[in-house]
Amino acid sequence: MSHRIYRITSIGRPLDPSYRTNRAVLLILPLAGLIGSAVAGARGADLIDALIAGLIGVAVAFGAWALARELAPDDDPAAFISLALAYASYLVLGPPSLFLLFTALLLTRIVNRSVGVPARPGDSIFVCALTLWTAYVTGSPLVALVGAIAFAFDAALPRPLRRQWWFVGLCLVGAALWIVAGDYAPGAPQPLAAQSGYWVVAVITLLYAIAYFRTRRLSSVGDQSGVPLSLRRVRAGMVVGLLVPAQALMIGDAKIAWALWATLAGVGVSSLLGLAPRRERLRGQRM
């Protein structure tokens, strides 16, 4: 299956059950779905809505876990802490923007090349289209600007992929058109962000900054290439992972990005506590 996927895409990362971390998350995801449905049912949702809530819970849990794997490829505990925090934020605050969560995941993967090879043209087209669509559905052209930054990183960092400059241009044009045609103006912060939310974001950003500066060497290698991941690329991916939720603060809708902030918190907490095990170079990523 992995080989078939890699014939189509260079950014797909199938879950290989031969790794313990993957087996663990494959056991956790159905549980997340059951809990999500049960909580929704207890709150008065009908059967269909409860099932949808369970599926959203699975998507949030998996998206946070997968994103944390990209942001901290050597740190297995960070992925599970992020999963728990993001899922908790979903149960307490309601559904985040799944488009925003998975856009952050794929943009980060484009930059850090965790699969070990550059994105294919089809990958770049898909991620660019997803970025522009996310900008539209969230009402924030800033998402497209973050997409432009991500593609620029991929075009300029070691082993640059020069055709990504075309997608930088597409993202910038999309942002400009949305600003002009959509009469965009930054919204007023919602009560959650205006009160305690900004303090929470500030603490998370500090924890995440600690994780960023503590990322000084990597033992993980690309899934396909077997070559050690580029430290500069992984750090650039961490920057993209921060910019995606940060832009949501400018549109007055911080709630849609709380799953992302929870993911960053998980990465920061694990780094601060030194939970990542010391090990020799891995033969491949565990996802």
Side-chain angles (χ1 to χ4, degrees):
M1 181 185 297
S2 298
H3 292 303
R4 287 199 294 270
I5 289 175
Y6 290 140
R7 293 193 194 108
I8 301 171
T9 175
S10 292
I11 60 173
R13 304 189 70 191
L15 283 167
D16 184 349
S18 64
Y19 293 107
R20 289 182 302 171
T21 51
N22 287 357
R23 290 197 300 272
V25 81
L26 286 172
L27 292 173
I28 291 172
L29 292 179
L31 181 61
L34 289 174
I35 293 174
S37 293
V39 170
R43 291 172 175 170
D46 59 28
L47 178 60
I48 299 299
D49 288 340
L51 290 175
I52 292 173
L55 292 175
I56 293 174
V58 170
V60 170
F62 175 75
W65 180 84
L67 177 57
R69 296 294 299 123
E70 303 296 329
L71 300 174
D74 280 358
D75 192 349
D76 293 337
F80 290 96
I81 296 172
S82 295
L83 183 157
L85 293 177
Y87 190 74
S89 76
Y90 161 62
L91 294 179
V92 174
L93 299 173
S97 169
L98 293 179
F99 283 114
L100 201 63
L101 178 59
F102 284 93
T103 295
L105 169 63
L106 293 181
L107 286 175
T108 302
R109 193 173 290 173
I110 286 277
V111 174
N112 69 13
R113 294 189 188 172
S114 54
V115 180
V117 293
R120 296 184 178 186
D123 297 327
S124 298
I125 292 171
F126 174 78
V127 175
C128 183
L130 175 63
T131 301
L132 294 174
W133 177 252
T134 301
Y136 174 74
V137 297
T138 61
S140 175
L142 299 178
V143 176
L145 294 179
V146 176
I149 292 171
F151 282 114
F153 277 145
D154 195 30
L157 288 172
R159 292 183 294 150
L161 189 60
R162 301 301 186 191
R163 66 168 175 265
Q164 299 293 47
W165 290 116
W166 290 101
F167 297 98
V168 173
L170 285 174
C171 286
L172 292 176
V173 169
L177 290 176
W178 177 240
I179 290 172
V180 173
D183 193 25
Y184 167 76
Q190 292 185 345
L192 178 65
Q195 297 176 9
S196 61
Y198 278 135
W199 288 105
V200 174
V201 166
V203 171
I204 292 172
T205 302
L206 177 60
L207 289 172
Y208 189 66
I210 292 172
Y212 176 88
F213 288 109
R214 293 187 69 175
T215 304
R216 299 175 181 174
R217 59 180 62 88
L218 296 167
S219 59
S220 296
V221 299
D223 296 352
Q224 287 194 67
S225 67
V227 175
L229 299 184
S230 164
L231 177 61
R232 290 178 64 189
R233 282 188 168 275
V234 169
R235 278 186 152 190
M238 294 180 75
V239 171
V240 172
L242 175 62
L243 291 177
V244 174
Q247 61 78 35
L249 298 175
M250 301 297 294
I251 63 172
D253 195 1
K255 189 179 110 171
I256 66 172
W258 274 119
L260 279 161
W261 287 115
T263 302
L264 303 188
V267 172
V269 168
S270 184
S271 177
L272 184 65
L273 298 179
L275 298 180
R278 296 181 180 180
R279 57 199 171 195
E280 298 299 322
R281 180 181 301 170
L282 303 175
R283 291 185 179 180
Q285 290 282 50
R286 289 155 305 285
M287 173 185 167

